[in-house]
Amino acid sequence: MFCAKCGREIHDEAVVCIHCGCLVAGRSLESTEKSWVVAYLLAWFLGVFGIHRFYLGKIASGIAQMLTFGGCLIWSLIDFICLSFNNFKDSEDKKLIGYIKPLGIAGFCLCVFGGLFYLVIIFISALIESM
């Protein structure tokens, strides 16, 4: 990516050109006032009801997620994974504040391994019941 003012090469995710100091077009120095921790905990405990989407101002998709029970759990799982790696934005397309990388990765691992453990338990109980 190149700066529109000075024409020098800058990083693709840059907000400000390091050479001339001008703001990169379409970028903002502002972040949202919405907390990543609050959104993450809402997604963890009430994700299937879309409560985290209501918190972030995404009302229409929150209602849709609530009515579909989190898109049969798939939509809420995708939201949780996006929140785990800080790839989820609010309704104004701004990043959330207070991202805690170890907590995000730990929650993701817990979600994945917990889901696999749950599937193994269901499989074993089905085998036992069929005997």
Side-chain angles (χ1 to χ4, degrees):
M1 173 191 287
F2 296 93
C3 177
K5 184 176 179 186
C6 68
R8 296 177 79 180
E9 188 172 2
I10 56 175
H11 191 273
D12 290 339
E13 296 179 11
V15 176
V16 176
C17 175
I18 60 169
H19 306 289
C20 67
C22 76
L23 188 64
V24 176
R27 304 286 170 91
S28 173
L29 293 174
E30 298 177 18
S31 65
T32 183
E33 293 299 319
K34 303 292 183 175
S35 169
W36 175 83
V37 174
V38 172
Y40 194 71
L41 291 174
L42 287 172
W44 178 263
F45 291 109
L46 301 168
V48 294
F49 302 114
I51 303 302
H52 60 287
R53 287 185 168 268
F54 287 105
Y55 171 70
L56 296 174
K58 299 181 176 189
I59 306 300
S61 60
I63 291 171
Q65 196 167 7
M66 184 183 298
L67 294 175
T68 61
F69 197 64
C72 296
L73 301 176
I74 295 170
W75 190 1
S76 59
L77 177 65
I78 291 170
D79 280 359
F80 185 75
I81 291 170
C82 288
L83 275 165
S84 294
F85 295 104
N86 200 25
N87 290 330
F88 206 86
K89 296 181 180 178
D90 70 354
S91 62
E92 297 174 357
D93 205 33
K94 293 181 181 177
K95 287 242 181 214
L96 308 178
I97 59 170
Y99 175 62
I100 304 170
K101 189 173 184 177
L103 179 62
I105 293 172
F108 172 74
C109 292
L110 182 63
C111 183
V112 169
F113 293 121
L116 290 174
F117 180 73
Y118 181 71
L119 291 175
V120 167
I121 296 297
I122 289 174
F123 180 72
I124 290 172
S125 64
L127 282 176
I128 291 172
E129 194 169 304
S130 67
M131 293 180 161

